[in-house]
Amino acid sequence: MKKFILSYLPFYALIIFFISNMLAMIFYPGGTIQDSESVGYDFFRNFLSQLGRTKAYLIDDYGNQLSNLISFRIWSSGMAVTGILFLIYYFHLPSFFKKKTAILGSFFAIISSVCFIGTGITPLDVIVHLSDRQGNILNTISMFEMHVFFANNIFYFAFPSALIYSYTIYNSKKINKVYGTGYYLFSFSLLIYIFILKFGPSPIDGVGEIIQATSQKIIAILWVVSTAILSFGIKKVMDAK
């Protein structure tokens, strides 16, 4: 079971991530933060999270936002399953390296995976009203705030995990150093994205929307692909035994 998890699970996660996102993009009606009349999904202007909205930004002739439930269900399910598979993978990964640094790296990666799941199951355009038996509203919970919290923390926790695993992989005698070098590059990419996230232009601006939306996709793809490549390296080692 451990060999299957370390050798194949990230590949399944990679496939699920790409297929769910591609299908969700196809079914997304349209609209961006800047343009509520654009039809279809714009790779450079729409964020991945907008696939997880229950309603698209695109409006009909009566000024109502079009339903995005098909895209929402596909994307949310894909994100949640991908996060679960990564959580299981990183939980078992330290057993391959047998180093304390790997345990610490997986600690951060598991938190990041939980945030991955949380991002998928919190539609950012939903507001939940908590009421008593008489129907009086006691509290209001915005899924938007929860969604942003989970989405940002995917990368805040992925960075220390990637950095620690870069060191662990590079200094391990069990696997080729090239995988450690690749993870160092991934860590550097995460740092750049966090810098863009914190100090980059606002997505409300035209150019800022393009920079933020595009960089988000690039780093999400790099995280999934980097994990799959590491899994390939581990599979080669295990198959050679």
Side-chain angles (χ1 to χ4, degrees):
M1 178 59 75
K2 185 180 78 172
K3 181 179 179 180
F4 172 79
I5 291 173
L6 295 179
S7 300
Y8 294 102
L9 216 60
F11 290 104
Y12 290 116
L14 177 66
I15 292 169
I16 291 170
F17 178 80
F18 276 107
I19 290 178
S20 61
N21 273 275
M22 290 300 295
L23 286 176
M25 289 177 187
I26 291 172
F27 284 105
Y28 182 74
T32 70
I33 295 175
Q34 296 289 323
D35 184 6
S36 62
E37 296 181 355
S38 62
V39 178
Y41 189 86
D42 188 326
F43 185 88
F44 299 103
R45 292 184 180 275
N46 282 112
F47 289 84
L48 290 176
S49 295
Q50 289 166 357
L51 296 172
R53 292 173 58 91
T54 59
K55 293 183 179 180
Y57 284 107
L58 184 65
I59 57 177
D60 60 21
D61 295 336
Y62 303 99
N64 301 312
Q65 291 178 302
L66 296 182
S67 172
N68 188 47
L69 287 179
I70 296 177
S71 178
F72 161 70
R73 289 164 180 159
I74 295 172
W75 187 81
S76 295
S77 300
M79 286 288 289
V81 173
T82 300
I84 291 170
L85 294 181
F86 271 18
L87 190 155
I88 296 171
Y89 174 77
Y90 279 108
F91 180 81
H92 287 86
L93 189 56
S95 66
F96 175 81
F97 292 102
K98 292 181 169 57
K99 289 187 176 182
K100 292 181 179 179
T101 52
I103 296 174
L104 183 60
S106 278
F107 170 76
F108 289 111
I110 288 172
I111 296 176
S112 182
S113 299
V114 171
C115 290
F116 210 92
I117 298 168
T119 301
I121 62 176
T122 51
L124 54 81
D125 62 336
V126 170
I127 297 177
V128 178
H129 298 290
L130 302 179
S131 58
D132 58 21
R133 293 181 179 179
Q134 286 72 44
N136 300 312
I137 297 177
L138 301 176
N139 197 5
T140 300
I141 301 175
S142 171
M143 289 291 106
F144 175 83
E145 295 175 0
M146 295 177 65
H147 181 92
V148 171
F149 171 82
F150 284 127
N152 289 347
N153 278 290
I154 289 176
F155 308 105
Y156 293 155
F157 284 100
F159 174 67
S161 171
L163 202 59
I164 293 168
Y165 262 116
S166 298
Y167 172 84
T168 302
I169 298 166
Y170 193 82
N171 290 281
S172 174
K173 296 180 180 180
K174 302 184 70 173
I175 193 169
N176 196 303
K177 290 184 183 294
V178 69
Y179 296 100
T181 302
Y183 242 65
Y184 271 122
L185 293 174
F186 171 52
S187 302
F188 182 67
S189 300
L190 276 168
L191 184 61
I192 293 175
Y193 178 69
I194 290 172
F195 182 84
I196 293 173
L197 200 61
K198 296 288 288 184
F199 307 108
S202 170
I204 298 177
D205 300 328
V207 176
E209 184 180 44
I210 296 174
I211 292 174
Q212 294 285 354
T214 305
S215 61
Q216 181 202 53
K217 293 181 186 68
I218 292 172
I219 200 62
I221 292 171
L222 284 176
W223 189 45
V224 178
V225 171
S226 296
T227 303
I229 291 174
L230 173 59
S231 177
F232 175 75
I234 293 174
K235 182 179 182 299
K236 288 177 63 178
V237 173
M238 289 185 162
D239 288 345
K241 291 183 178 180

